[in-house]
Amino acid sequence: MTAPAPELLTTEAPSGLTLTATPLGTVPMLQARLAISLPLHTPADLAVSDVLAACWSLHPATARLEQVGGIASVNRRRNWLMVGLHATTDHEQLMADTLADLTHATFTDDLVARAVALVTQQAALAASQPTVHATRRMWSQYYGHLPPAVDPAPDPQLTSGVTRDEATAAFHRFVTPHRGHLALVGDTGAEDSLARFTAALAHWQRDTDGDEAPSPCPELPLPEITSSHRPGQEQTQIRLVAPAAPRGSVADFAAHQAAVTVLGGSFSSRINTVLRERHGLAYRCRAATDYVDQDFVVIETDVHTRHAGQAMDLLMELIEEFSAKGPDEDELRAACGFITGAYAINTGSQSGRASLLTAAITQDLPASALTDVPRALARLTVADVRAAASHYRPDRFSGAVCGDAGEFPGRWR
């Protein structure tokens, strides 16, 4: 049995902003999550978008909300600028006014300088992390270059040079309502919340005459897994990625979720059972779903460098067997129960439901995915998930094995 569908009201403002509200009176709080898609075409776009996020985090409007006990968070996730506001319901108008001020903000030299310093420091720290290097190599291997949307962090040199004029220009180019989705979850009437936030954001109009032309999509290179030499790095990061089956429905998405969960999405999954429990090669190993311009499966395994070859052999064997045979009935039942339980738990809390709505938006799913996905999971058959798993063949994976690779082969497949 799946949980009853929550009440979801969706409207589109004259500006093009999409708003979805759902009441949930578990506590007298309100969650407001704004997601704005970003046209990131260059590394410079990535750098200035992170500076924009920091400017909003440091803006007086967010400080004003925090002074009454509210919480404000702003970050970039992939090619989305994310704003999260959380406060008691008696501050609902203040939350709406906070979003209005942010979408109509002006940036001072001091504000931009503080944001630049913060982002540059964070970007420099990220660049030193082996996991960031491995993630960059994985996506570069798949696409043949590193698209800004999948880069975990901007270039510190680019962020350090962002000026107030550049931040302001990017703000007017990026922060437009027709690219925005606002989710409202809390102890309020859905219709009243929609009306309140729509009125507060009525001034927010698109500043551009039209959408930017999408960047041409270069032909993808042939799938390949290569080594990346990091002298002295005793822990090796294995990062592999493959495209999932093309999605034609929520049922396809659910089958992909179930397949990846069986492969490596829980402690009882195949990758964890073999690499972690049976062979003791890695504490951290997993398979997870991802979405950029389509659905992906990503495999992450961190092992001691001397075990990298054994780990890769085992991973390829697991992937080959899984793509050929898929899950059995018990594995499918356990995976669907695990995912359905996660949806039920998250749908029952305000922050969890707001997160699910935001996740749906950023994965090109309807707001009704909150209940559509669990219902699709309940109808899945082994044949459905085997069809999804068949796309995870070893010869479709790209990626990198990053560590002290002096003894590694240049190419693993």
Side-chain angles (χ1 to χ4, degrees), residues 39-46 76 78-79 135-154 215-218 220-221 292-293 296:
L40 301 180
H41 301 307
T42 68
D45 289 339
L46 180 68
R76 176 192 57 83
R78 288 276 194 260
N79 57 329
T135 298
R136 286 170 168 162
R137 286 300 301 261
M138 177 189 75
W139 288 116
S140 297
Q141 195 69 53
Y142 177 80
Y143 284 105
H145 67 290
L146 183 61
V150 298
D151 196 340
S215 300
C217 297
L220 296 175
V292 187
D293 49 358
F296 288 96

Side-chain angles (χ1 to χ4, degrees), residues 117-390:
L118 177 63
V119 173
T120 301
Q121 181 184 48
Q122 293 172 338
L125 290 172
S128 68
Q129 298 299 310
T131 55
V132 171
H133 169 79
T135 298
R136 286 170 168 162
R137 286 300 301 261
M138 177 189 75
W139 288 116
S140 297
Q141 195 69 53
Y142 177 80
Y143 284 105
H145 67 290
L146 183 61
V150 298
D151 196 340
D155 184 333
Q157 290 187 334
L158 291 176
T159 61
S160 65
V162 174
T163 66
R164 181 176 67 86
D165 289 344
E166 289 171 335
T168 299
F171 173 77
H172 291 297
R173 184 160 60 99
F174 289 165
V175 182
T176 58
H178 70 290
R179 294 197 186 99
H181 300 255
L182 177 61
L184 302 168
V185 181
D187 188 21
T188 60
E191 291 184 356
D192 291 342
S193 290
L194 287 177
R196 189 184 299 272
F197 279 83
T198 299
L201 295 169
H203 75 285
W204 188 22
Q205 301 296 324
R206 56 191 299 170
D207 292 319
T208 54
D209 293 330
D211 289 323
E212 298 179 38
S215 300
C217 297
E219 185 176 347
L220 296 175
L222 292 175
E224 192 170 44
I225 302 169
T226 61
S227 296
S228 176
H229 188 35
R230 307 269 287 178
Q233 183 175 304
E234 293 188 357
Q235 187 179 58
T236 289
Q237 279 78 40
I238 299 173
R239 298 292 183 269
L240 309 176
V241 60
R247 187 202 304 172
S249 64
V250 171
D252 293 336
F253 177 82
H256 172 52
Q257 295 274 318
V260 174
T261 300
V262 173
L263 180 60
S266 69
F267 276 122
S268 62
S269 62
R270 294 192 183 188
I271 288 176
N272 270 284
T273 298
V274 173
L275 267 71
R276 183 176 181 270
E277 303 295 336
R278 187 178 304 166
H279 293 278
L281 297 180
Y283 179 77
R284 182 181 184 278
C285 51
R286 69 168 190 148
T289 59
D290 204 344
Y291 183 86
V292 187
D293 49 358
Q294 66 181 96
D295 291 313
F296 288 96
V297 55
V298 174
I299 294 175
E300 301 179 349
T301 302
D302 297 343
V303 300
H304 193 282
T305 296
R306 65 173 174 267
H307 298 312
Q310 182 185 5
M312 278 296 292
D313 288 343
L314 289 170
L315 281 173
M316 291 298 105
E317 290 173 8
L318 284 166
I319 293 168
E320 184 170 17
E321 180 182 9
F322 187 65
S323 64
K325 299 180 181 179
D328 59 34
E329 291 280 2
D330 290 339
E331 288 177 317
L332 176 58
R333 189 180 306 110
C336 290
F338 176 80
I339 302 170
T340 301
Y343 269 84
I345 291 170
N346 285 313
T347 304
S349 74
Q350 291 178 349
S351 61
R353 188 179 294 186
S355 295
L356 284 177
L357 283 171
T358 302
I361 289 164
T362 58
Q363 295 178 91
D364 195 26
L365 289 166
S368 60
L370 272 68
T371 48
D372 290 347
V373 173
R375 288 172 177 170
L377 287 165
R379 294 191 293 267
L380 285 180
T381 66
V382 169
D384 295 329
V385 184
R386 283 176 179 165
S390 68

